[in-house]
Amino acid sequence: MDYKVEIAKLIKLDGVSFDEILPLVVTAKDTALADFAFPCFKFAKALRKSPVIIANEVVENIKKPDFVESIESVNGYVNFKLSKLNFVKGVVDKALSLGENFGNSNEGNGKTICIDYSSINIAKPFHMGHLSSTVIGASLYKIYKKLGYNVVGINHLGDWGTQFGKLIVAFKMWGDKEDINNRGINALLEIYVKFHKEAESNPELNDQARNWFKKIEDGDSDAMQLFTWFKEVTLRDVKKIYERLDVQFDSYNGESFYNDKMQPVLDELEAKGLTKISNGATIVEFDESEDMPPCLLRRSDGATLYATRDMAAAFYRKNTYDFYKSLYVVAYQQNLHFKQLFKVVEMMGYEWAKDMIHVPFGMVSLEGGKLSTREGNMVFLEDVLDTAKAKALQIINEKNPDLDNKDDVAEMVGTGAVIFGTLVGSRIKDISFSYDKVLNFEGETGPYVQYTFARCCSLLSKIDESGQVDYSNLTSADSYELIKLIDKYPEIIADSAAKYEPSIVTRYIYSLACAFNKFYLEQNISNSNEGDKAARLAVVRIVKDIIKNGMSLLGIKCPTKM
Ligand code: ARG
């Protein structure tokens, strides 16, 4: 039952509707005094009474239902304390019966959300900079699905640009087809880097690269074949990383997909009188109050740009998916780009411009530069995952050398630690990444939560669960706190979706694990009597299911033993 709604229904005030009352019912700050509170200050003026008197009258007019233990008027607030037994029974029954479906809802019924995330650049390495976009987007994808939305995951590949011309030149000079087929992205990168070094002393190579890119643009078959092959090689490697991170996409339509879809948009812009020619280039200027530089859509040499492709993509997505919202999970460095993009669509007269949302995030840097780097300052995601896995294996070998499937567990713990560490802070904050921090079994980390999960699994495998649950044993302070937290799970999911913030789920799971461990230390589960045991094990099962489900929303798997 939704206690906020039920409590709001109890409150009767002259001339004030339920819809006005509901948002004012809040969770009480001091849980020793109340569970929910209703402040009456807002009505003093209209009702010409003091808040204290209003609160008194509200209390007098309520006939206390069973689920409420007490109702009191305190300094202009109406304080509600729930009947613990009733509350505990309601939460436990519901969570137990729903299992991993607890928190599912149908808020998204009939609505489609497009999420543009990861959106890596082809023929360039998958580096740390794309980690946040990838895991934040993938997590939002799963969260929206849980809420019943139809979700379209889009990897807007950076698969257009002069880097392809450079790669072709490099390949023609030094490339070895077999080597590239075998070693994939790494081999491509080597010749790409070599090209840049060589071009410093031989700038003529850049002209060649431009010519080759022009050939790709013109659809020359030799050039196209290489272009497609570079793309395949990169995607094949990148998909291995996506698998490790449990990331899926419904579309890999990247920038090149929009080659033939830009002209109609440019024509419409022109027809609507929104474009201007400036030194031969096509631009859209903004009203002075917007305080933004013009948006460049076609260079004087005729070339289209990143923004032109995004314009075409916005229309393609609206027409193809009829989205309710279209999210772009992209670093805050691109704030201006998206502000311009959304504004141009708005200026064209489309009210759905307001449904396009930039979900920015901060930068990832490496604490003390300890992460392995190969070329330049790039940190390769694959190396990060491998290192985290190796370190996890080391820890497992120290803590639990006889564990089965150590390699699988190390992969779950290592990769899980990296994902959890990326998602635990508010997304807009910059992250300073350190292996020791994310792999600390005692910190606010993935391994800590996974360890708690394994503890739940072990308890359930050792103790018989079949007894009759006696709910009165779950009303002690630590049990009650834990159950209140369990009750919050559905609200947490909805809140993280509304704010595009997987960190809300991440931090919640951590606090649930903490509260559970406290409960575990204070309750002697295996040595309690039948009714107590069954009640406590019911809580263990619920926590286990929430951790499993919550972690899966982040893309993290939990081993049953570790
Ligand atoms: N490929 C771009 C980059 O790495 C990100 C693309 C984001 N998506 C978009 N529709 N612009 O910076």
Side-chain angles (χ1 to χ4, degrees):
M1 110 184 213
D2 186 336
Y3 288 100
K4 261 189 198 169
V5 173
E6 295 309 315
I7 284 171
K9 280 190 200 157
L10 297 174
I11 300 166
K12 300 275 177 287
L13 268 175
D14 265 352
V16 185
S17 73
F18 171 80
D19 290 339
E20 284 171 88
I21 290 173
L22 181 61
L24 293 173
V25 176
V26 292
T27 335
K29 284 205 187 76
D30 185 348
T31 50
L33 296 178
D35 294 301
F36 291 96
F38 176 69
C40 299
F41 307 94
K42 211 184 146 179
F43 308 104
K45 209 167 166 194
L47 298 177
R48 294 165 185 258
K49 286 178 196 166
S50 79
V52 175
I53 292 179
I54 298 172
N56 287 341
E57 289 179 1
V58 168
V59 173
E60 274 161 34
N61 287 329
I62 297 178
K63 195 174 154 292
K64 190 179 78 59
D66 278 347
F67 73 91
V68 179
E69 174 140 335
S70 67
I71 306 170
E72 271 181 335
S73 159
V74 181
N75 300 333
Y77 286 90
V78 182
N79 282 350
F80 297 84
K81 242 176 139 63
L82 298 179
S83 144
K84 283 190 182 173
L85 192 60
N86 198 295
F87 173 77
V88 163
K89 187 171 174 340
V91 175
V92 170
D93 282 350
K94 184 171 174 190
L96 210 51
S97 67
L98 290 172
E100 286 180 46
N101 291 328
F102 183 47
N104 287 13
S105 87
N106 54 14
E107 90 164 48
N109 262 2
K111 295 182 188 139
T112 296
I113 296 208
C114 292
I115 313 181
D116 178 324
Y117 57 105
S118 197
S119 300
I120 51 154
N121 300 319
I122 292 291
K124 292 190 185 166
F126 193 155
H127 60 91
M128 281 293 277
H130 285 110
L131 174 63
S132 299
S133 172
T134 306
V135 296
I136 293 171
S139 174
L140 291 175
Y141 184 90
K142 291 170 176 134
I143 289 170
Y144 280 112
K145 282 223 157 157
K146 190 168 171 71
L147 294 175
Y149 289 89
N150 176 34
V151 196
V152 186
I154 303 170
N155 197 334
H156 185 80
L157 298 173
D159 58 0
W160 202 246
T162 41
Q163 80 259 32
F164 287 96
K166 293 178 184 169
L167 261 183
I168 293 182
V169 176
F171 177 72
K172 298 248 174 215
M173 287 196 293
W174 317 292
D176 173 347
K177 190 152 189 161
E178 207 180 300
D179 183 42
I180 294 176
N181 273 330
N182 290 334
R183 290 197 304 123
I185 226 172
N186 291 334
L188 275 184
L189 195 68
E190 272 167 30
I191 59 168
Y192 188 66
V193 169
K194 196 164 171 184
F195 175 92
H196 280 268
K197 279 208 188 101
E198 212 72 20
E200 272 170 30
S201 52
N202 183 5
E204 197 263 331
L205 288 179
N206 285 319
D207 298 331
Q208 284 185 31
R210 230 166 282 129
N211 284 339
W212 272 108
F213 182 59
K214 178 94 183 49
K215 283 194 189 175
I216 301 178
E217 285 185 300
D218 297 342
D220 170 90
S221 79
D222 187 20
M224 278 313 278
Q225 211 177 344
L226 284 170
F227 167 79
T228 314
W229 177 55
F230 294 148
K231 217 172 126 168
E232 277 165 11
V233 166
T234 311
L235 280 181
R236 195 189 64 202
D237 277 4
V238 160
K239 281 181 182 170
K240 286 184 213 147
I241 295 183
Y242 287 143
E243 208 166 295
R244 292 177 79 175
L245 298 173
D246 192 28
V247 173
Q248 293 88 26
F249 297 96
D250 302 291
S251 159
Y252 279 87
N253 286 340
E255 293 189 39
S256 70
F257 178 77
Y258 299 100
N259 277 340
D260 59 354
K261 298 174 180 62
M262 288 176 280
Q263 195 54 50
V265 179
L266 289 167
D267 291 344
E268 184 178 336
L269 276 163
E270 197 190 326
K272 288 185 170 162
L274 295 169
T275 50
K276 219 177 129 172
I277 305 295
S278 162
N279 294 327
T282 307
I283 61 169
V284 175
E285 281 181 330
F286 301 104
D287 192 82
E288 212 164 303
S289 65
E290 297 291 339
D291 198 22
M292 283 195 287
C295 179
L296 177 59
L297 290 174
R298 195 196 282 284
R299 284 206 308 247
S300 54
D301 64 3
T304 52
L305 294 103
Y306 179 59
T308 330
R309 293 164 200 290
D310 257 331
M311 281 298 294
F315 282 94
Y316 179 81
R317 288 173 196 174
K318 186 63 193 173
N319 296 334
T320 310
Y321 307 113
D322 191 23
F323 57 72
Y324 161 71
K325 276 181 189 169
S326 181
L327 312 185
Y328 297 82
V329 185
V330 185
Y332 66 61
Q333 281 91 339
Q334 296 193 27
N335 276 355
L336 174 64
H337 167 74
F338 287 106
K339 239 181 106 184
Q340 290 181 322
L341 177 70
F342 302 164
K343 191 72 204 175
V344 175
V345 177
E346 187 194 311
M347 285 158 75
M348 290 170 85
Y350 294 101
E351 56 85 31
W352 51 265
K354 67 173 185 351
D355 304 326
M356 296 196 286
I357 293 147
H358 179 205
V359 179
F361 54 83
M363 291 211 310
V364 185
S365 66
L366 316 161
E367 204 163 80
K370 268 176 286 174
L371 291 162
S372 64
T373 59
R374 287 189 220 169
E375 195 61 43
N377 263 334
M378 286 287 208
V379 176
F380 292 71
L381 193 50
E382 193 184 5
D383 292 349
V384 173
L385 297 182
D386 287 347
T387 310
K389 178 179 176 179
K391 286 185 183 268
L393 190 60
Q394 242 172 26
I395 301 174
I396 294 166
N397 277 330
E398 282 161 26
K399 288 194 188 247
N400 191 0
D402 301 325
L403 185 72
D404 290 336
N405 307 321
K406 275 195 275 192
D407 196 66
D408 290 346
V409 175
E411 170 69 23
M412 289 187 223
V413 173
T415 305
V418 173
I419 300 177
F420 199 96
T422 311
L423 292 178
V424 74
S426 309
R427 62 181 152 70
I428 203 67
K429 282 205 200 132
D430 292 342
I431 302 174
S432 162
F433 185 90
S434 118
Y435 289 114
D436 293 340
K437 209 160 66 190
V438 300
L439 279 164
N440 183 347
F441 277 49
E442 258 108 64
E444 196 179 358
T445 64
Y448 174 80
V449 175
Q450 286 170 322
Y451 192 78
T452 310
F453 176 81
R455 172 174 275 167
C456 293
C457 293
S458 150
L459 283 166
L460 291 168
S461 70
K462 284 194 203 126
I463 316 173
D464 175 30
E465 260 186 283
S466 60
Q468 187 68 37
V469 176
D470 178 353
Y471 296 94
S472 63
N473 291 296
L474 297 175
T475 53
S476 70
D478 49 328
S479 309
Y480 192 56
E481 282 312 304
L482 177 57
I483 285 166
K484 277 212 266 191
L485 210 49
I486 290 173
D487 179 52
K488 282 223 150 66
Y489 188 50
E491 205 179 295
I492 290 288
I493 306 283
D495 194 36
S496 72
K499 297 187 174 127
Y500 320 111
E501 217 19 300
S503 65
I504 295 176
V505 174
T506 317
R507 282 203 294 266
Y508 167 83
I509 310 173
Y510 172 70
S511 45
L512 184 74
C514 291
F516 173 78
N517 285 319
K518 202 161 158 242
F519 166 87
Y520 168 79
L521 290 176
E522 282 169 23
Q523 312 264 339
N524 191 341
I525 300 181
S526 39
N527 288 332
S528 39
N529 69 44
E530 277 306 297
D532 286 7
K533 203 188 277 179
R536 287 167 192 164
L537 282 177
V539 173
V540 176
R541 175 162 295 279
I542 293 168
V543 169
K544 177 191 150 245
D545 283 346
I546 297 182
I547 291 183
K548 180 154 184 223
N549 182 249
M551 291 288 262
S552 80
L553 294 176
L554 311 177
I556 303 175
K557 296 185 193 78
C558 293
T560 52
K561 287 186 186 153
M562 68 185 267

